[in-house]
Structure formats: C-alpha cells, structure tokens
Amino acid sequence: MISYLCDDDTLREYADKLLERPTNFGGDDRYYRTHAPVIGKADYSDDLMAESNYDTALDLLRAAADEGRNDTEVSDEHVIDAGIRHWGWGQCSQIFVQVYADDVMLCRKCDSIADWAVSRKKHGRRRFLCAGCKSDWDWDTTRYGLPALAPIKYRPKFTAAWREACSILSALEVYAVLDDSDYSEREWERWQLNVNEALEQAQREYEYDTEAESAEIADSCHDEVGELYGHEPDCGIDWQRVEDIYRQAREDYFTQLGNEHLNAPITGQLALI
C-alpha cells in the first residue's frame, strides 16, 4: 500500500466533508457525529476489490488505533465495523472511525465540533464555539457589549485511527487497490472456485466414469483450462469452453487407456523384438 501522510488541514477537510450526516440516515448516534464513514462495501455484490480494500483498511485502522498497546480497547471504540442497510445496495458494511480524540470540545450552542475558544472575563471559564456560531457570538459582543476576550483558534486533536483513515482515503484517490497481494489472492481463489465448478458441470455428462477416472481427466486438462484465465471479467470462465476441453481430454484419456490395454503383453507370450 502507498502511504500518504496528511497534514492537519487535510485531516480537517476530510472530517468536515465526511461528518455531514445524510438527511435520510438513521442509526447509532456516533455515526456522522463523532465517527465518520471511511470505506464501505455491499455484502452480497461479489466485488473482490471492494472486499479486499475493506478488510485491508479495517486491519490497518485497528492496528493504528492500538499501536503500542496489548489490547484492543482503543480500536473497539475508535473503529466501528458497522452493518447498515441501503435502499439500493441492500445489506452493507461500513467502517466508521472516530475523528477527534476523547478530549475534543463541542460548540456550546449547536453541539458540533468546536473551532474557537473564548474566555469570559467574569468567571475565567472558556466557551467553545464552531465557526458558524462564532459569528453570532461576535455579533452579540458588538451589539450588547458582553465581556468576552477575543476568540482563540481551537485545534482539536485527531485520533491515530483518523490519521490512518485519511492516509487510506488519499491512497485510494491515486490507486484503486490498497493491497495488491491480497487482491490477487482473492482473484486466484475465485478463479479456482469457478474452474472447479465448470469442471464438475462437465463431468456430470459422464455419469459412468469412476471418481478416479474423472479426477485424472480433470488433472490432465488443468493446463489448457488455465490458459482461459483473464478472458472473462470478474474471474469468470467460459463453461462451454471448459466442457469442450474436458471432452477432448476424456477422449485422449480413454484412447491411451485402451491402447495400453491392447498393447499389453499376454501372460506367457514371448516378447517380440
């Protein structure tokens, strides 16, 4: 995986964009409030790239959250492997990551993440405000002369998991796969599964062949079947072509078996030289 380290401004840009809660979303109160969506997949889509990226990202995020620890207490809180439903995609999985550290302050007026801190002279306590509510505060101060000091820019701390999340998001903007090795292994496993299913279908036509014969015939045509790799999308395979290859391999197998039987020396017969 290509790693992209993001500065705080980039981390905040991602946070501002991804923490915007959809109007039709219902679920855990942490979603889109303290935890932002990072990557998702449709559970029954058979999209190998989405599955590979999802599982790779989940491992990376958990490792980043728990770095230097012997338990998973932090990642259990900061990284959520959530199951959600989408009207178009059905059952989905979505990774939500806590953006800011536990000590982050919220705006006193709207409960969003604070951007500014102001101190009241009378009590010496700070009040935290987001960018939108700060303008109201400034107007009140000017209009009514409230005793407030000048607001100070407040920079909340980001979680380690969120830093890793933004690195992942940045990498995916450049290259579509997080881990080429993992993706290739999944492709090969899917290909082998499709090959086995195609061969089993071809074998059903010859119900009188023994299991041993069928296995030997299938082994004999694996090289030729392997040449079909990559000809069909999504690790697919042309079943008709596999059937033709198997049929020819079967004919060759039984032809060779018959020749061996016919040419075998008869017991007691002298070998001719």
Side-chain angles (χ1 to χ4, degrees), residues 63-162:
D66 292 327
E67 185 176 5
R69 301 176 62 91
N70 296 323
D71 55 44
T72 62
E73 181 179 355
V74 175
S75 64
D76 290 343
E77 176 62 28
H78 289 185
V79 182
I80 303 175
D81 182 8
I84 58 177
R85 289 194 61 83
H86 187 276
W87 67 269
W89 301 332
Q91 188 64 34
C92 300
S93 295
Q94 179 79 55
I95 300 175
F96 287 87
V97 174
Q98 183 168 319
V99 176
Y100 299 106
D102 292 336
D103 60 353
V104 67
M105 293 299 186
L106 302 179
C107 175
R108 67 188 297 266
K109 291 191 174 183
C110 68
D111 203 33
S112 60
I113 301 299
D115 297 282
W116 297 87
V118 293
S119 296
R120 296 296 298 269
K121 292 181 178 179
K122 183 177 181 180
H123 302 291
R125 294 198 302 266
R126 290 200 299 173
R127 297 290 186 270
F128 294 90
L129 300 167
C130 68
C133 294
K134 173 183 175 292
S135 60
D136 294 338
W137 180 275
D138 291 339
W139 187 88
D140 287 343
T141 301
T142 303
R143 181 72 173 79
Y144 299 110
L146 297 178
L149 297 178
I152 301 173
K153 189 67 176 176
Y154 171 66
R155 305 289 289 186
K157 294 190 298 182
F158 296 98
T159 65
W162 183 246

Side-chain angles (χ1 to χ4, degrees), residues 31-253:
Y31 302 163
Y32 296 100
R33 182 175 178 273
T34 59
H35 291 63
V38 175
I39 191 170
K41 65 174 182 177
D43 291 345
Y44 304 112
S45 67
D46 291 330
D47 186 337
L48 293 182
M49 185 182 296
E51 293 174 4
S52 174
N53 285 344
Y54 189 93
D55 292 343
T56 299
L58 186 59
D59 290 341
L60 290 171
L61 292 167
R62 284 174 169 167
D66 292 327
E67 185 176 5
R69 301 176 62 91
N70 296 323
D71 55 44
T72 62
E73 181 179 355
V74 175
S75 64
D76 290 343
E77 176 62 28
H78 289 185
V79 182
I80 303 175
D81 182 8
I84 58 177
R85 289 194 61 83
H86 187 276
W87 67 269
W89 301 332
Q91 188 64 34
C92 300
S93 295
Q94 179 79 55
I95 300 175
F96 287 87
V97 174
Q98 183 168 319
V99 176
Y100 299 106
D102 292 336
D103 60 353
V104 67
M105 293 299 186
L106 302 179
C107 175
R108 67 188 297 266
K109 291 191 174 183
C110 68
D111 203 33
S112 60
I113 301 299
D115 297 282
W116 297 87
V118 293
S119 296
R120 296 296 298 269
K121 292 181 178 179
K122 183 177 181 180
H123 302 291
R125 294 198 302 266
R126 290 200 299 173
R127 297 290 186 270
F128 294 90
L129 300 167
C130 68
C133 294
K134 173 183 175 292
S135 60
D136 294 338
W137 180 275
D138 291 339
W139 187 88
D140 287 343
T141 301
T142 303
R143 181 72 173 79
Y144 299 110
L146 297 178
L149 297 178
I152 301 173
K153 189 67 176 176
Y154 171 66
R155 305 289 289 186
K157 294 190 298 182
F158 296 98
T159 65
W162 183 246
R163 292 184 179 277
E164 183 67 24
C166 293
S167 175
I168 290 171
L169 292 171
S170 298
L172 288 175
E173 290 177 358
V174 177
Y175 185 61
V177 180
L178 287 178
D179 188 331
D180 282 318
S181 296
D182 180 81
Y183 181 44
S184 296
E185 289 178 7
R186 292 171 189 263
E187 283 190 314
W188 182 249
E189 290 174 1
R190 175 69 61 80
W191 162 255
Q192 289 294 334
L193 178 63
N194 288 334
V195 166
N196 292 337
E197 290 180 350
L199 286 172
E200 289 174 3
Q201 177 63 30
Q203 290 168 338
R204 292 192 182 99
E205 185 177 342
Y206 310 102
E207 56 181 322
Y208 296 110
D209 293 353
T210 66
E211 290 185 9
E213 291 169 343
S214 296
E216 290 185 31
I217 297 169
D219 287 341
S220 70
C221 61
H222 261 116
D223 288 344
E224 189 172 356
V225 171
E227 295 178 1
L228 302 177
Y229 182 74
H231 289 194
E232 300 291 333
D234 299 326
C235 304
I237 190 168
D238 186 337
W239 282 34
Q240 183 60 54
R241 182 70 182 120
V242 172
E243 184 177 335
D244 294 340
I245 293 172
Y246 185 86
R247 182 184 298 109
Q248 184 60 54
R250 183 178 181 275
E251 291 179 5
D252 295 342
Y253 173 82

